[in-house]
Amino acid sequence: MFKIRKSQYRHVFCDNPKPEHCYTGMRLCTVTGDQQYIKASAKYYVVSLFGGGGPIHVGRLDRPGRFESGTSAQVEGHTGAVLDCDFNPFDDSMFASASEDTTIKLWSIPEDFEPTDEKGLAKQGENLTESLVDLVGHRKKVTLLRFHPTASNILASTSSDYTVKTWDVEKGEAISTFSDFGDNLIQDVVWDMKGDMYATSCKDKTVRFTDPRTGSVSSQIAKAHDGLKSVKLSFIGNTDKFLTTGASRSREVKIWDLKNLSQPLAVENVDTASGALLPLFDHDSNILYLCGKGDGIIRPYEFEDKGPYLHKLNDGFRSTTPAKGLCLVPKRGLNVMQCETARILKVTNNDGIHPLSWTVPRKSDAFQDDIFPDCVSAIPAHSADEWREGSSKQPCRMSLNPALSSKNGSGGAKMKLKTVASVSKELKEAQDRIKYLENKLKESGIAYNK
């Protein structure tokens, strides 16, 4: 007897955005690589711009419009092109940038930072040039960045010096360095849900699972895919399953069991297009949005922790405009009352950034708790020191129901860091105050010990 599989996301759809909802005017950086070219928090997005010194455009998600170089405020501080960025999952205003100048910089976006106004027009503003922290340790250009999913102020970075470093951002020091890649460039690095390990892929086609505290390999997949295309990775929620994308005779997706990596559990053949496949996995709804660089198609699949594992939902999103890069907006930044279950920001070569809103059609105006399970909140589960000592915790979660917003605790405690300029200013003020008080004591004939 034929039985239709039940799914709340079966009819999820995405339409082409209207021009007034897009972000335009950016002249994007021309560097190529394995990065996504765009990252987003629940409030901002960042892309690397063309120009000397590695400029970065930071835009507000709620302010679509036209950016104008020379008028709109931007972030500047590197001496080489910026290759990748990543937002702190516990602070929507903080992000890290990786550059060809071998450094990693941490930035805090001011509340009044607005490159475009409420009408979407370019707004005059002051550039952000003072970084909070500079991480120096890689010998060649830094290519990829990934913040830890549960511990505050932990960051992983990859470089063309064939190493992966795990950083304690607040202390400005490297916790561990893994370098067992030979002379193979690293194509991807991803954390598992708890942040107990990260997985890497590189040009030797081997996927390695590494303990970030010690920098030692715990297991590996010797040959994930046969082809030469970049291998991209994703852990699948709290399951013991793992996903890789790559190519053999055609582009493909493979599901692996972390307990037995000798062969894949399932293989999904996609097509014979040339671009690398980019898996954007929604860990809350278990939906895989399969994108391709240079593609105009995004295919949604629903993951189920039993064979055949991946179920194609519908024809997905189709466009004649190819994608240069893509990223998911965190669930906290979605319009849940309009049943927006996902939003993908799509970078194009000449047509700006397109927000692709994925919606499940519902007639009711009430909050739909069946399609919006509790999501990851902006509160860290433990501190960097606790994690370094061996703490292992699931991410803190919150309800997306607006009626419970006051109880969600959606805003975590921000990391209190100051720029060199602000510290220097405070030091000078303190020194001037001390000198003034010493003169007063001297005038009054009061002795004091220096």
Side-chain angles (χ1 to χ4, degrees), residues 302-319:
E302 186 169 13
F303 172 80
E304 190 175 23
D305 197 6
K306 62 180 181 180
Y309 298 100
L310 291 177
H311 302 273
K312 195 171 183 180
L313 292 176
N314 50 44
D315 289 337
F317 173 78
R318 293 179 178 272
S319 169

Side-chain angles (χ1 to χ4, degrees), residues 162-324:
Y162 315 120
T163 65
V164 177
K165 287 184 178 291
T166 306
W167 302 87
D168 185 327
V169 171
E170 196 163 3
K171 295 179 180 178
E173 63 183 18
I175 298 170
S176 68
T177 301
F178 179 70
S179 58
D180 192 18
F181 296 101
D183 293 336
N184 298 289
L185 289 173
I186 302 156
Q187 297 171 336
D188 202 7
V189 56
V190 292
W191 293 95
D192 70 346
M193 284 293 287
K194 291 183 179 180
D196 290 337
M197 65 177 171
Y198 60 73
T200 55
S201 62
C202 67
K203 283 196 172 181
D204 65 1
K205 305 177 186 178
T206 301
V207 176
R208 297 171 176 85
F209 299 88
T210 307
D211 183 341
R213 298 179 180 93
T214 61
S216 58
V217 172
S218 57
S219 57
Q220 65 181 32
I221 303 172
K223 195 175 184 180
H225 299 270
D226 295 329
L228 298 177
K229 290 184 176 66
S230 292
V231 175
K232 294 296 183 179
L233 315 170
S234 178
F235 286 91
I236 301 178
N238 287 315
T239 69
D240 55 1
K241 305 301 185 295
F242 184 73
L243 181 149
T244 64
T245 65
S248 294
R249 292 184 178 179
S250 62
R251 295 196 297 181
E252 60 190 9
V253 181
K254 291 185 179 181
I255 305 294
W256 304 81
D257 187 346
L258 291 171
K259 297 176 182 177
N260 182 7
L261 297 169
S262 59
Q263 59 182 7
L265 296 172
V267 179
E268 177 80 16
N269 292 307
V270 181
D271 57 23
T272 57
S274 59
L277 283 175
L278 183 65
L280 301 178
F281 192 82
D282 182 348
H283 297 279
D284 303 314
S285 60
N286 286 327
I287 304 297
L288 168 67
Y289 297 93
L290 195 59
C291 318
K293 291 186 177 181
D295 292 3
I297 304 173
I298 300 177
R299 302 169 175 87
Y301 294 83
E302 186 169 13
F303 172 80
E304 190 175 23
D305 197 6
K306 62 180 181 180
Y309 298 100
L310 291 177
H311 302 273
K312 195 171 183 180
L313 292 176
N314 50 44
D315 289 337
F317 173 78
R318 293 179 178 272
S319 169
T320 57
T321 304
K324 178 181 175 69

